[in-house]
Amino acid sequence: MLKATDLMVFYENAIAVNELSLSVRKGQVVGVIGSNSAGKTTLLNTISGLILDIQLKEKRKGGERITVMGKIEYQGQDISRLKAHERASLALVLCRERHPVFPDSNVHENLKIASYLRPTNQVRQVIDHVYELFPNLKRWRKRKAGFLSGGEQQMLAIGMAMVVGPKLLLLDEPLLGLSPAMQKNLVQAIESLSRENGITMLIAEQFARPLLPMLDFAYVIENGMLTLTGTGPELMENPEIKSAYFGF
Ligand SMILES: Nc1ncnc2c1ncn2[C@@H]1O[C@H](COP(=O)(O)OP(=O)(O)OP(=O)(O)O)[C@@H](O)[C@H]1O
């Protein structure tokens, strides 16, 4: 479904993604595991096309030069030069880290804002589906998003991505800053998105332990480069992973 080949991203002369190739098959949940600054966000921004928007913005204001190289194929089509919104309309949707919700709008309004690419007659149905997935959001539908807990904001962020109707959902650090109990809830929600909704996912995560058991495949990256690959359960047993990410 997704094949990225030899991706390279430079911020000025600093390399953030270094000759990285990966693929995701339809129906899989694939992880990108890496510590701080490993290049996870840059990689997901590159696959979603957001990096091209950031590149353009920087260029317009005379800021840093961002160079992007490599090929990205999605459902057999070369999408390397497509803009983020064009990729989103092909159902390749990014859910960014740290709750990019509109804090002064309520939950329902946030979901409606996210549904702007949908025909009007589908909006109600897709939002109802999000409420089925995340009953807490239904409960707080009139509450301002800024007053939700971190975990609820993360669910809303994923709900907003779901409203777009993803076939391939990119999740950037969904577990960041959540309590262990909330992480467990979210991992269950991710599992049900995969199993019951048939959504293919690529998930970048630093604290990957709760996610690893459910990953069909994972890529470990450091300094923008691939260092290890394997299925989630294989990586769980890997001594390097245990010491680097689990602290033993
Ligand atoms: N806009 C930018 N300008 C310059 N350098 C950047 C920019 N964004 C990221 N970088 C650098 O690129 C490298 C990769 O950063 P990136 O945010 O992709 O990593 P990450 O794995 O997502 O890290 P984190 O978990 O801390 O978010 C880092 O060295 C970072 O400092």
Side-chain angles (χ1 to χ4, degrees):
M1 184 169 207
L2 178 81
K3 189 169 175 221
T5 314
D6 295 335
L7 294 185
M8 290 184 94
V9 181
F10 295 84
Y11 297 105
E12 297 289 353
N13 294 325
I15 193 158
V17 172
N18 193 350
E19 287 197 31
L20 215 151
S21 299
L22 60 78
S23 56
V24 181
R25 295 209 196 111
K26 191 166 186 276
Q28 281 188 325
V29 181
V30 173
V32 174
I33 315 299
S35 54
N36 271 329
S37 304
K40 304 179 297 296
T41 298
T42 304
L43 176 65
L44 260 53
N45 286 351
T46 305
I47 293 171
S48 70
L50 192 63
I51 195 91
L52 300 179
D53 291 351
I54 299 170
Q55 187 185 41
L56 189 65
K57 221 183 252 175
E58 288 291 336
K59 199 172 168 189
R60 279 197 188 130
K61 65 173 195 208
E64 66 184 350
R65 191 166 42 86
I66 301 176
T67 311
V68 183
M69 295 191 277
K71 186 173 180 185
I72 304 168
E73 290 160 278
Y74 169 70
Q75 296 188 311
Q77 179 186 350
D78 184 349
I79 58 161
S80 315
R81 304 318 304 166
L82 293 189
K83 302 233 169 70
H85 70 273
E86 292 168 325
R87 297 186 202 190
S89 61
L90 294 174
L92 195 174
V93 179
L94 171 68
C95 179
R96 294 169 73 189
E97 65 184 319
R98 288 163 204 142
H99 330 306
V101 299
F102 299 100
D104 294 325
S105 300
N106 69 31
V107 166
H108 196 72
E109 287 161 350
N110 267 274
L111 292 171
K112 277 176 102 171
I113 293 166
S115 68
Y116 79 103
L117 282 172
R118 289 281 190 157
T120 328
N121 62 356
Q122 289 180 8
V123 170
R124 194 178 168 154
Q125 191 191 341
V126 294
I127 292 181
D128 281 348
H129 183 53
V130 171
Y131 287 148
E132 269 170 43
L133 283 169
F134 301 117
N136 266 356
L137 293 183
K138 186 170 188 183
R139 202 161 134 227
W140 302 126
R141 64 199 291 281
K142 294 280 177 216
R143 179 170 283 199
K144 277 193 181 178
F147 292 144
L148 298 176
S149 72
E152 288 161 349
Q153 288 192 28
Q154 190 61 302
M155 290 192 181
L156 177 56
I158 296 176
M160 289 167 76
M162 285 301 297
V163 160
V164 183
K167 287 190 180 129
L168 175 60
L169 180 60
L170 310 177
L171 294 176
D172 192 5
E173 303 207 55
L175 304 182
L176 189 76
L178 303 187
S179 67
M182 208 65 210
Q183 289 189 348
K184 205 170 153 210
N185 277 350
L186 204 63
V187 169
Q188 277 169 357
I190 290 170
E191 255 181 324
S192 98
L193 288 182
S194 160
R195 275 214 218 103
E196 284 148 42
N197 296 265
I199 300 193
T200 308
M201 279 180 267
L202 180 64
I203 309 177
E205 192 53 74
Q206 178 175 359
F207 301 104
R209 196 174 186 187
L211 266 181
L212 274 175
M214 65 162 298
L215 294 179
D216 294 305
F217 202 75
Y219 296 85
V220 181
I221 64 171
E222 289 302 330
N223 298 320
M225 278 192 296
L226 215 55
T227 55
L228 260 179
T229 57
T231 65
E234 275 166 11
L235 293 180
M236 286 284 284
E237 294 306 317
N238 184 301
E240 284 176 51
I241 296 290
K242 280 184 178 169
S243 75
Y245 297 96
F246 303 167
F248 54 81

